[in-house]
Every structure is written in C-alpha cells, then in structure tokens.
Amino acid sequence: MMSQEFLANATRLGPVHLRVVDIPAALPVWFDVVGLSIQASDGGVAELGVESKTLIVLHAGATTVLPSKSRDLFHVAIHVTTRKELARVAARLRASGLRHSAQDHLISESLYVSDPSGNGIENCFDTPERFASRGETASGGVLLLAKDGTRHSGLETLDIDRLLHELDPADRAKVPLAADTFIGHIHMRARSPETLMAFYLGALGFRPHIQSATFGLFDCGTEQRPHMVAFNIWARDELKEPPLGAAGLEHFTVVLPTREDLAAVARRLGDAHVSSQQSDGALDLSDPEGNRLRMVLAGN
C-alpha cells in the first residue's frame, strides 16, 4: 500500500525547461512581453529569469511547433506578487498585438499567451482573499463561492481595461518582472488524469486538490500551495500525441527543502517500482504519460 506521507509545505517549483524551434524567435515573447531577463545563452540554451533566479530554460532543437490540443504542456504559470505587476504584463501584451486572453479564476487573475513554438504561458496574480469555499454544481462541475457571497465558475473573463487602471501615467510598462516572481504551477493536457494523480499523490507525495472528471481538471500541490501540478482533459476525443520533435515540455523541477524529503520521495518511488535516476541531490524520472520531472534538493 502506498505511503500517505505528503511533501513539505516548503516544497516549490523550480525552473521549467521547454523545447523551442528557434530561441531568437521566442525571446520577444519571453523577454519583451512576459518580462523575464536573459541570464545566460550559448545559442542552444537560454536561461531566463528575474535577477539571479532562473525560471525558464529554453532548449533549441525542436523541429515543429507543438500543435494545439496535444498531450503535453498546456501552460507554465509565472506568478507575480502585485496586481500592478500583472497590469504591466497586460499593457505589454496589448501593445504587442499578440493573440492573448484573460480570465478571472476568483482565486487568481490570469493572462494567457503562447510563444512562437506553441508553449503556453500564464501570467498569474493570486487573490486568495476573495475566495471563500469550493463546491459543486448540480451537474458535478466546480463552483466557487466568493467572500461577498457571489458564485463563480472560475472561468469568467478578466476585464483588462479595469486591470490597466492599476497603472498611472508615470508607470513604465517595459520593465523586467520583480525579483519575487516565481513559478507557481505547471499545467498539462492528459489522457488518463486518474492514473497521473495516483502517481503524483501516492508515489511523489503531493496533496489532492480538484479531482473533477466532469469539470475536466485534476490538480495537486502542498497544503500551502494546493495548485502546483495540474492536468486537464478539455480536449477529450480531440487530444492527440505530439509529433516527434515537437516543442513542449522538456522537464520541470520540484525543489524539496531537505535531504530527508528527497530520500522519502526516493523511497516511495522504489516502493511503487518507479524507475528513476538518482544523483547527488537530485532524482530524474518520468510520470506515467512521459512528462519528465526532476526532484532536486534546495540549494543544488
């Protein structure tokens, strides 16, 4: 029987590695629109982040754009800590002319865009102070209740014009993201989310959050950050496997606070007969659908 140990609250997501067709073509989105800084680049790999913290690593070599509705990356979420910061991203998105969207999830406000290789990007500002509780609709969908008593689907359109009121004429939109920006969650399209959740919960130790086949979303995280790794089945019968050489997720990183936490994950993986490659301070493995991840010790 799987252990019911959970990952420590200090567990967080580290750098997300993505395959792209062409790094120079991708940089205007990641740099000029999203607001990351280029930390290092050798032609085949570009590290992007805030100040000295790497958030995204782009790997050249993909031969084709990730098609829509492919099983793979849905989006990587870059979280900012102020609404004004989100407004700056919105201003840059609007000025860019790129196709984008915006949603009010009640627990967060989000802006969405993709890079030229089809890698989805979410810029997110958490708003937990608005959220009261979560329930279900009569059809089994997700229902969110706000602290003011209103009911929400979590999929309402975010009013970008109102968001831009956070900026006054003296604010500059073209500034890098703040140093406290972080990777908040990663979201994939899935074929069998129940199988994936059994792996992420039982073998890795994440805590369950939303597990709704009716709504089409399954996610997990820690007690402190419940939405860290998510899978959706919204494409349903239209979901397809990405072609060989497609852009998309190379791997994502889960940062564990202590060696004891890393050893506990290694033990659970062994108990579940999950293959992994262990090196000093790191575990490299794949989930049941082939999404690759690296569990690393903080500071490595």
Side-chain angles (χ1 to χ4, degrees):
M1 185 173 179
M2 290 288 187
S3 168
Q4 294 303 301
E5 294 176 285
F6 291 120
L7 294 173
N9 273 341
T11 300
R12 60 181 175 82
L13 295 180
V16 175
H17 293 243
L18 302 173
R19 299 183 302 273
V20 296
V21 174
D22 182 80
I23 288 177
L27 288 180
V29 174
W30 291 100
F31 179 69
D32 296 325
V33 177
V34 175
L36 297 180
S37 299
I38 302 170
Q39 298 182 323
S41 178
D42 68 359
V45 177
E47 297 182 14
L48 312 175
V50 290
E51 291 198 354
S52 61
K53 181 169 60 178
T54 300
L55 299 181
I56 299 292
V57 182
L58 302 179
H59 296 259
T63 56
T64 186
V65 171
L66 181 67
S68 63
K69 298 183 180 178
S70 291
R71 185 205 55 75
D72 198 279
L73 181 73
F74 187 56
H75 61 244
V76 55
I78 299 170
H79 287 229
V80 297
T81 61
T82 68
R83 198 164 191 262
K84 179 172 281 191
E85 192 82 66
L86 188 70
R88 288 193 183 101
V89 178
R92 295 194 295 266
L93 271 172
R94 180 165 283 183
S96 74
L98 292 171
R99 182 180 178 182
H100 61 279
S101 61
Q103 287 189 319
D104 184 349
H105 301 302
L106 185 64
I107 57 172
S108 65
E109 297 178 325
S110 297
L111 304 168
Y112 297 93
V113 69
S114 292
D115 74 10
S117 292
N119 295 309
I121 307 164
E122 175 182 357
N123 281 94
C124 182
F125 173 58
D126 295 322
T127 57
E129 70 282 355
R130 297 191 295 156
F131 173 73
S133 63
R134 186 179 79 244
E136 288 189 357
T137 64
S139 61
V142 172
L143 172 67
L144 302 179
L145 296 176
K147 287 188 176 176
D148 64 6
T150 56
R151 295 155 62 99
H152 295 260
S153 69
L155 300 174
E156 284 83 8
T157 299
L158 177 65
D159 187 338
I160 292 184
D161 288 331
R162 185 174 179 182
L163 174 62
L164 291 174
H165 289 164
E166 295 286 332
L167 303 177
D168 59 46
D171 284 313
R172 292 183 299 123
K174 291 189 176 182
V175 295
L177 290 174
D180 57 2
T181 303
F182 62 100
I183 300 292
H185 68 272
I186 187 162
H187 190 157
M188 275 81 77
R189 297 183 185 90
R191 290 199 178 278
S192 179
E194 294 90 349
T195 301
L196 289 165
M197 286 296 97
F199 170 79
Y200 280 87
L201 305 181
L204 297 187
F206 284 96
R207 291 177 180 268
H209 187 222
I210 297 172
Q211 312 285 291
S212 175
T214 303
F215 182 59
L217 180 70
F218 296 71
D219 70 344
C220 59
T222 64
E223 186 175 17
Q224 181 174 321
R225 178 160 287 279
H227 181 68
M228 290 179 70
V229 182
F231 300 94
N232 76 65
I233 53 173
W234 295 325
R236 300 192 185 272
D237 293 342
E238 296 180 77
L239 187 72
K240 50 186 174 286
E241 284 298 306
L244 188 66
L249 179 67
E250 176 66 23
H251 72 267
F252 67 98
T253 311
V254 180
V255 182
L256 303 175
T258 70
R259 287 195 177 274
E260 290 74 19
D261 294 302
L262 189 65
V265 173
R267 185 180 66 252
R268 290 194 296 271
L269 289 171
D271 291 343
H273 306 291
V274 174
S275 176
S276 65
Q277 297 295 318
Q278 186 165 4
S279 57
D280 185 39
L283 284 166
D284 291 285
L285 61 145
S286 296
D287 70 21
E289 293 199 359
N291 302 301
R292 296 170 57 197
L293 61 150
R294 166 170 272 208
M295 314 286 285
V296 303
L297 180 64
N300 274 29

